[in-house]
Amino acid sequence: MTKTGGELLTEQLIAEGVRTIFGVPGIQLDYALDGLAQNKESIDFISARHEQGAAYMADGYARVAGRPGVCMVVPGPGLLNAGAALATAFATNSPVVCIAGQIPSPTIGRGLGMLHEIPGQTDILGKLTKWNGIAKSPEEIPGLVREAFRQATSGRPRPVGLEIPPDVLQARTTAGVVGPGGDRTADVDEDAVDRAVDILAAAERPVIVAGGGVRDAATSAALQALAERLGAPVITSRNGKGAISDRHPLALSRLAGAELLDNADVVLAVGTRFITMTGQPVVRPGRHRLIAINADPADVGAPREFDVAVIADAKVALEAIATSLPGGRREAPVLDNHRKRERDALSVIAPQVEWLQAIRRALPDDGVFVEELTQVGYAARLAFPVYQAGTYVTPGYQGTLGYGFPTGLGAAVGAAGRQVVSINGDGGFGWALQELSTAAKYNIGLVTVVFTNDAFGNVQRIQTETFGRNIGVELKNPDFVALAEEFGVAGERVTTPAALGDAIRNARGTDAPMLIEVPLGDVPSPWKLLAEPSIG
């Protein structure tokens, strides 16, 4: 029997383990959507209100579910709308598979003004992804889908793109699905491991820096085991929060661990770009012996100067080093004074810390916290404790204002019943507030907190401090509680941290979405603390 390219696409996605797709339908995707419609029992299609929202949802899903998130968008404006989310996924090593429509195959590149045509769409997609391909016949679809998922999840995870023209989706074929390929994640350079072991075995004051490459429970356990073996404090980057539980005696934030890092004789950088916000190495060359574990060779080159670079999956490399280390467990240093200095430093931003503490107390250890570029969100980079890998979601160096709410929706879909809290400012929330409709339609049980101050607060502060005046920063907001209720989402307004904590607890264990509005007012600037050397 023959099938359309769209039907074959769905069959291959199901073979890859896909159970949810986020997207926006459109004419170039008709045959792809029909393939999904025929398989409603096996795969869900969540229709967003904007392609940017759909792609952010795929990102949030990927970071929490532990498998790739998939979005589907029409060509041209649809793909361009999804672009900011793909850039964020690229910055945060998130395995998103973006399936994009195209104009009819015979017209690509001819500039005939076809519906949704933009010059060089394939090139644009390639700039935002780790790998991209285009299907020129229905027979190519299964293999390209298989390669897309392999690329998204192998080495350094990142978004990938696959374009399929409408005539290819409509054409019929007798081709079938293809099976999975071999797994190469166990590969590791034994010589590099041996050299790393020699340096670590001789270390007197080792420190580990962990980044976003440590984002699952198994890798986190391997990191903790090696840290305990070495007696080495572990400093986590923003994207690596949760790589080791903040309750662990060896765990330190970047703020608490700055002095230890500066005085270390050996630094092991695991799954981190090891770059500050200003593009400089985290430590000065020549002061330390430096070892890197990274899946991406690009992250161990200049301006860094590592003595040894182990290019491998973080879990595999960590376990290989631990197995080869001579001797038993070393005595761990006492870090209480470093944590006290951190607490003293954070007193400068006490109002934001109080809100964050209320959220942390209300959110279960395995609950997911989605940070945003808001006054409380900036403070969260320093002051929000994380207890499990993969439970702190950030836009990373992309700093994408407005990403938080739709990313939180995707995280809630992928969280398998765990509670997810998304914090937002009133400025950033405006990017995707229409996705309240999506939350209500699909019963996505996200708790959305919107801190309001009627301004793009951070920009307002910078303009005022720099120029003594500001422009374009004031906001005209709706009543967010009433707005949520118009969409069918429960809304509540609270004015104290304790009330916020109670509202989050009350929302636990339900699929019903909830919005909590929190009038914030002026709060102290966190930027002096954030300007200290931070780790990418």
Side-chain angles (χ1 to χ4, degrees), residues 39-81:
N39 290 273
K40 286 184 177 180
E41 299 303 316
S42 300
I43 194 164
D44 294 325
F45 183 80
I46 293 181
S47 184
R49 297 297 294 270
H50 192 284
E51 290 91 355
Q52 187 178 101
Y56 278 135
M57 291 176 205
D59 179 12
Y61 180 95
R63 288 203 247 171
V64 171
R67 55 183 176 271
V70 182
C71 62
M72 186 178 289
V73 298
V74 298
L79 178 60
L80 293 175
N81 284 341

Side-chain angles (χ1 to χ4, degrees), residues 52 56 372-374 378 395 398-404 427-429 431 456:
Q52 187 178 101
Y56 278 135
E372 245 286 5
L373 283 88
T374 178
Y378 296 129
Q398 195 58 229
T400 334
L401 182 62
Y403 98 104
F429 186 63
W431 258 250
F456 290 118

Side-chain angles (χ1 to χ4, degrees), residues 358-374:
I359 297 170
R360 180 68 276 181
R361 286 191 293 266
L363 188 65
D365 284 7
D366 66 353
V368 178
F369 179 85
V370 183
E371 172 213 303
E372 245 286 5
L373 283 88
T374 178

Side-chain angles (χ1 to χ4, degrees), residues 326-375:
R329 181 181 294 195
R330 301 180 189 174
E331 183 177 355
V334 178
L335 305 176
D336 292 347
N337 287 338
H338 297 279
R339 295 192 180 95
K340 182 181 184 301
R341 282 196 289 272
E342 176 189 42
R343 290 193 296 271
D344 292 344
L346 290 176
S347 65
V348 174
I349 54 172
Q352 296 100 304
V353 172
E354 289 179 11
W355 290 109
L356 291 167
Q357 288 174 339
I359 297 170
R360 180 68 276 181
R361 286 191 293 266
L363 188 65
D365 284 7
D366 66 353
V368 178
F369 179 85
V370 183
E371 172 213 303
E372 245 286 5
L373 283 88
T374 178
Q375 299 303 310

Side-chain angles (χ1 to χ4, degrees), residues 270-295:
V270 184
T272 169
R273 291 180 297 110
F274 210 61
I275 290 290
T276 69
M277 291 173 63
T278 60
Q280 300 301 311
V282 170
V283 296
R284 286 171 286 174
R287 282 184 57 89
H288 320 264
R289 300 295 301 277
L290 298 179
I291 304 168
I293 294 175
N294 207 296

Side-chain angles (χ1 to χ4, degrees), residues 190-532:
E190 294 181 3
D191 179 63
V193 168
D194 290 342
R195 287 185 287 131
V197 166
D198 289 343
I199 294 173
L200 289 169
E204 296 180 357
R205 300 178 308 282
V207 171
I208 298 174
V209 176
V214 185
R215 62 169 50 172
D216 62 85
T219 309
S220 175
L223 173 71
Q224 179 176 317
L226 181 60
E228 290 171 351
R229 182 82 177 274
L230 293 169
V234 179
I235 300 170
T236 53
S237 73
R238 177 186 177 191
N239 208 33
K241 287 172 73 70
I244 187 170
S245 170
D246 279 321
R247 291 196 182 99
H248 194 282
L250 289 173
L252 290 174
S253 70
R254 182 266 302 162
L255 194 61
E259 182 181 357
L260 279 172
L261 183 61
D262 193 49
N263 292 325
D265 61 341
V266 175
V267 178
L268 171 61
V270 184
T272 169
R273 291 180 297 110
F274 210 61
I275 290 290
T276 69
M277 291 173 63
T278 60
Q280 300 301 311
V282 170
V283 296
R284 286 171 286 174
R287 282 184 57 89
H288 320 264
R289 300 295 301 277
L290 298 179
I291 304 168
I293 294 175
N294 207 296
D296 189 349
D299 278 354
V300 300
R304 317 151 189 91
E305 296 179 9
F306 289 106
D307 294 271
V308 179
V310 183
I311 306 301
D313 174 82
K315 175 178 177 293
V316 172
L318 288 164
E319 291 176 342
I321 290 172
T323 300
S324 300
L325 269 175
R329 181 181 294 195
R330 301 180 189 174
E331 183 177 355
V334 178
L335 305 176
D336 292 347
N337 287 338
H338 297 279
R339 295 192 180 95
K340 182 181 184 301
R341 282 196 289 272
E342 176 189 42
R343 290 193 296 271
D344 292 344
L346 290 176
S347 65
V348 174
I349 54 172
Q352 296 100 304
V353 172
E354 289 179 11
W355 290 109
L356 291 167
Q357 288 174 339
I359 297 170
R360 180 68 276 181
R361 286 191 293 266
L363 188 65
D365 284 7
D366 66 353
V368 178
F369 179 85
V370 183
E371 172 213 303
E372 245 286 5
L373 283 88
T374 178
Q375 299 303 310
V376 178
Y378 296 129
R381 304 178 192 180
L382 303 170
F384 189 82
V386 183
Y387 305 130
Q388 292 187 16
T391 60
Y392 185 91
V393 179
T394 162
Y397 67 78
Q398 195 58 229
T400 334
L401 182 62
Y403 98 104
F405 172 49
T407 301
L409 289 173
V413 174
R418 293 178 290 152
Q419 190 172 36
V420 180
V421 172
S422 162
I423 65 166
N424 307 264
D426 46 0
F429 186 63
W431 258 250
L433 57 80
Q434 72 278 359
E435 301 298 350
L436 286 166
S437 169
T438 308
K441 179 179 179 181
Y442 296 100
N443 294 316
I444 302 174
L446 175 69
V447 177
T448 303
V449 181
V450 182
F451 292 98
T452 62
N453 61 357
D454 298 317
F456 290 118
N458 191 56
V459 180
Q460 183 181 54
R461 174 186 282 124
I462 292 171
Q463 288 185 357
T464 301
E465 291 178 353
T466 304
F467 306 107
R469 53 185 172 268
N470 52 66
I471 185 171
V473 294
E474 296 86 4
L475 300 174
K476 174 63 176 176
N477 284 324
D479 180 326
F480 286 109
V481 172
L483 178 70
E485 291 173 345
E486 284 295 317
F487 277 105
V489 173
E492 182 175 347
R493 184 175 292 105
V494 303
T495 57
T496 66
L500 175 59
D502 289 342
I504 293 171
R505 289 187 192 91
N506 292 338
R508 194 181 303 169
T510 175
D511 289 335
M514 181 180 189
L515 181 143
I516 305 169
E517 181 180 349
V518 183
L520 187 63
D522 292 332
V523 292
S525 172
W527 285 102
K528 185 175 181 179
L529 295 176
L530 287 168
E532 298 293 329

